[in-house]
Amino acid sequence: MSTDLPMMIDTHCHIHDSEFLQKYSVNPDELLHTAQLTGVEKVICVGTSIKSSKEAVAFVATRTDCYASIALHPHEVSDYTDDELEEALQTLELIAKTRPERLVAVGECGLDYFYHSDATVQMRQQALFRRHIELALRYQLPLIFHIRDAFEDFFKIIDDYKGITGVVHSFSADVDALKGVVERGLYVGLNGIMTFSKQTDQLQAAKMVPLEKLVLETDAPFLTPAPFRGKMCEPKHVGITAQFLSNLRGETLEELRSKTTANARKLFGL
């Protein structure tokens, strides 16, 4: 990939996570080096549990091209009692309070009704989500949202607060959901899903994301873009998504890479 093109930022990956590293037996520094060679200058390592949040903070402490976020993924409510959730939230509070170097966001947090149709579980997700929002506002951090089949409740909740900034990670919903996201001034994160999606509503929404609100991500090691499906996703693959979106949206690759990088820097203060 040409070094003349603007550098990119992978705004969402999990290459710091010990479960990921054990499963794939990879060296994260090699992944970072390869990514840099292909034009990825920075990555954000996203926490999804107390363990992975602590690992993210520790991982980025010695790597100047990496940044961290901390949170409990909405799936976590199914594995915690109310007391355990409260203890976990207090741990997140303590981490944020210490202001670790290169902690730039609260997330991945939100609502996921795709796997959780039970009303009680959904209510617990909503309560947990509110606590994340309040944590982010308290420490003036943007949020990384995980929203799946739950945009109606997502909008109801965030409309109760003022001053929220953040990105809807791995956006793959329709144009109506996109409009709600954009109207609220939030950013949209697109990844490899777009390269293999057969759903016309998803692709239409991807075309309609305002360029000034678009950021790129991989969700590595997940959601490997075509034509590399079946292989582990890496931060370097953000370039594949950038090229696909350039073609889909009718923007030059230089323009798309330049603007999405500027957007990521603005949102996360990089």
Side-chain angles (χ1 to χ4, degrees), residues 77-78 112-126:
V77 300
S78 299
D112 191 323
Y113 296 171
F114 183 81
Y115 292 110
H116 304 284
S117 59
D118 182 84
T120 301
V121 174
Q122 291 181 2
M123 288 179 65
R124 294 182 78 219
Q125 283 193 6
Q126 293 169 25

Side-chain angles (χ1 to χ4, degrees), residues 191-199 203 223-226 229 244:
N191 56 37
I193 288 176
M194 294 301 115
T195 69
F196 56 82
S197 176
K198 302 300 181 184
Q199 297 188 32
L203 295 173
L223 305 179
T224 310
R229 301 291 292 155
F244 178 87

Side-chain angles (χ1 to χ4, degrees), residues 4 7 59-60 68 85 99 106 113 145 160 163 170-171 178 196 198 202 207 216 238 244 250 264 268:
D4 293 334
M7 298 294 281
F59 184 86
V60 307
L85 276 177
R99 290 288 186 177
V106 171
Y113 296 171
F145 302 113
D160 285 341
S170 194
F171 185 87
L178 174 66
F196 56 82
K198 302 300 181 184
Q202 288 182 350
K207 289 181 182 180
L216 302 176
V238 75
F244 178 87
F268 295 108

Side-chain angles (χ1 to χ4, degrees), residues 22-37:
Q22 291 166 7
K23 179 178 180 180
Y24 292 98
S25 299
V26 295
N27 182 329
D29 290 308
E30 291 182 5
L31 299 183
L32 290 170
H33 178 66
T34 301
Q36 288 172 342
L37 292 178

